[in-house]
Amino acid sequence: MRKITVCNRRVEIVQEDRPEVKPYYILVKTLYSAISPGTELTILQNSKDTPITLGYSAMGVVEEAGDGIEDVKKGDLVAVYGAPYVQHADALLVPRTLYSKVPENVEPKKAALGGIGAIAIHALRTAGLQFGETVVIVGMGLLGQMIAKIANAASYRVITYDLHEERVDMIKKDRGIKAFTTAEEMKAELDRCTAGQGADAVLLCAGGKKSPLTGQSLEWIRNKGKVVIVGDIEPDFPRNLMFSKEAQLLISRAGGPGRYDKVYEAEAIDYPYGFVRWTEGRNLGEYIRLVSEGQIDVSPFIQQEISVGEAEAAYEELLNKPSAALTKIINFSS
């Protein structure tokens, strides 16, 4: 089978044996996978001699269900999430804790974004927002826009900020989301809608080491407000502002509880529903529900479809920061 890897900052398509199904896993024939620029471009730029497989968000059709699998069967469509089980590859062996069945009314390419959706949902859960509260989302890349759409569906007050005008124009099309290209305009809107109190939470979805955004974010939150680091940004917060507001600083790690836990993932043992309400797998299912019910519109993210053979050129384009392209959907059938 084909698999997309990176080695020494070069994207390559390699051949590998297809995996075999085992208990509590499903074997999936990949139809589409989504490139996650924030994560994958960082891996690409930092890659050295050892090949690394790219990808973590995809969807496909169940080819075989292992012993112990009862909620899906051969022929069902599923959204899948989480490396190393989910990759840009023709076939995927996925534990029962990392997939969600896809209803007939969900366009397959939209389901391929399930991993990004799960990460966005977990970021909002980390912020611990309540109905009626105000969230500022900084960075309107793929993840930032996904978070903004889901926050808007949850009826939070959503204010977004990005320097790239094209990305701001994209998210502005969602009714209810305020979007700005300057910090001054964003802050003016924030003051207006909170009577000068500040945001309940700021979610930093931008990248960059030692970014001034970390200090600025403390200026934008209310007393006892929260700053959630979602993107690849270095925590560098001035103590005076942290102290004066008794700010809460949080980091959102991937798609939710279960991520990086070998028992939950590799051994496919789910956490008890009553004790861990929202796992990464359940967040994936919640993204699929939002799309199925029309609560969010992710169609702007699926406009650019490529074949596996076009992957190298696609990554090169996404490396071009001013590009308006937020992602590419890889079609494994072509």
Side-chain angles (χ1 to χ4, degrees):
M1 70 171 188
R2 299 167 297 174
K3 185 170 75 169
I4 299 174
T5 66
V6 62
C7 184
N8 288 322
R9 304 183 72 171
R10 180 180 176 84
V11 174
E12 299 175 341
I13 301 167
V14 301
Q15 293 290 328
E16 189 176 90
D17 293 339
R18 290 174 66 86
E20 295 183 1
V21 76
K22 59 183 183 179
Y24 304 111
Y25 277 67
I26 60 172
L27 182 61
V28 178
K29 178 183 178 182
T30 308
L31 299 180
Y32 297 99
S33 67
I35 295 175
S36 176
T39 299
E40 296 182 50
L41 295 184
T42 298
I43 292 172
L44 188 156
Q45 291 173 314
N46 295 332
S47 63
K48 300 190 184 303
D49 294 338
T50 304
I52 302 172
T53 304
L54 296 171
Y56 65 78
S57 183
M59 69 79 57
V61 59
V62 177
E63 283 195 330
E64 193 173 350
D67 292 342
I69 299 295
E70 299 177 349
D71 55 345
V72 295
K73 62 184 185 303
K74 183 177 180 179
D76 286 343
L77 294 182
V78 290
V80 293
Y81 161 61
Y85 316 96
V86 179
Q87 310 168 336
H88 298 311
D90 283 306
L92 305 169
L93 184 62
V94 184
R96 62 179 176 180
T97 48
L98 294 176
Y99 66 77
S100 180
K101 190 173 179 180
V102 177
E104 291 182 359
N105 71 323
V106 173
E107 187 176 351
K109 285 189 285 187
K110 293 180 180 179
L113 293 162
I116 290 90
I119 293 170
I121 289 169
H122 180 59
L124 285 168
R125 296 198 195 287
T126 300
L129 293 163
Q130 298 186 51
F131 178 78
E133 292 191 332
T134 300
V135 59
V136 171
I137 303 164
V138 181
M140 285 293 100
L142 176 61
L143 183 55
Q145 295 219 11
M146 185 73 80
I147 292 172
K149 287 174 180 287
I150 295 171
N152 194 40
S155 295
Y156 304 137
R157 290 178 175 177
V158 183
I159 301 173
T160 66
Y161 166 48
D162 194 297
L163 295 174
H164 297 296
E165 188 172 347
E166 289 176 316
R167 294 184 175 186
V168 168
D169 288 343
M170 281 183 68
I171 200 63
K172 268 184 179 177
K173 294 176 183 177
D174 284 53
R175 183 180 178 184
I177 297 178
K178 307 292 185 181
F180 303 93
T181 55
T182 71
E184 293 76 18
E185 290 177 309
M186 183 275 291
K187 181 63 163 55
E189 174 62 21
L190 177 61
D191 288 342
R192 186 197 67 78
C193 72
T194 66
Q197 296 293 331
D200 296 282
V202 172
L203 274 61
L204 296 176
C205 302
K209 305 300 182 183
K210 302 293 183 182
S211 170
L213 286 171
T214 52
Q216 285 178 295
S217 65
L218 291 173
E219 298 174 3
W220 300 331
I221 60 171
R222 63 170 171 83
N223 187 36
K224 297 182 182 291
K226 303 166 188 172
V227 177
V228 182
I229 298 173
V230 184
D232 183 20
I233 197 166
E234 190 73 24
D236 184 23
F237 296 95
R239 184 185 183 281
N240 286 345
L241 271 175
M242 288 172 54
F243 181 83
S244 64
K245 289 190 173 181
E246 201 172 358
Q248 297 181 54
L249 307 180
L250 304 164
I251 292 181
S252 178
R253 186 181 70 172
R259 194 69 186 115
Y260 311 115
D261 180 351
K262 291 182 180 179
V263 173
Y264 176 90
E265 294 185 335
E267 297 180 28
I269 298 176
D270 201 355
Y271 299 143
Y273 190 92
F275 291 90
V276 185
R277 176 64 181 88
W278 293 109
T279 62
E280 56 180 333
R282 291 193 266 274
N283 283 336
L284 173 63
E286 185 65 7
Y287 164 79
I288 296 298
R289 181 188 73 84
L290 289 171
V291 174
S292 175
E293 295 180 359
Q295 299 294 324
I296 59 173
D297 177 16
V298 297
S299 56
F301 306 149
I302 62 170
Q303 299 305 310
Q304 300 198 29
E305 180 181 321
I306 62 168
S307 66
V308 176
E310 296 171 311
E312 184 175 357
Y315 279 96
E316 284 295 324
E317 182 179 340
L318 289 169
L319 274 171
N320 177 20
K321 297 297 183 184
S323 171
L326 297 182
T327 185
K328 306 278 187 178
I329 303 296
I330 304 173
N331 184 341
F332 279 83
S333 302
S334 61

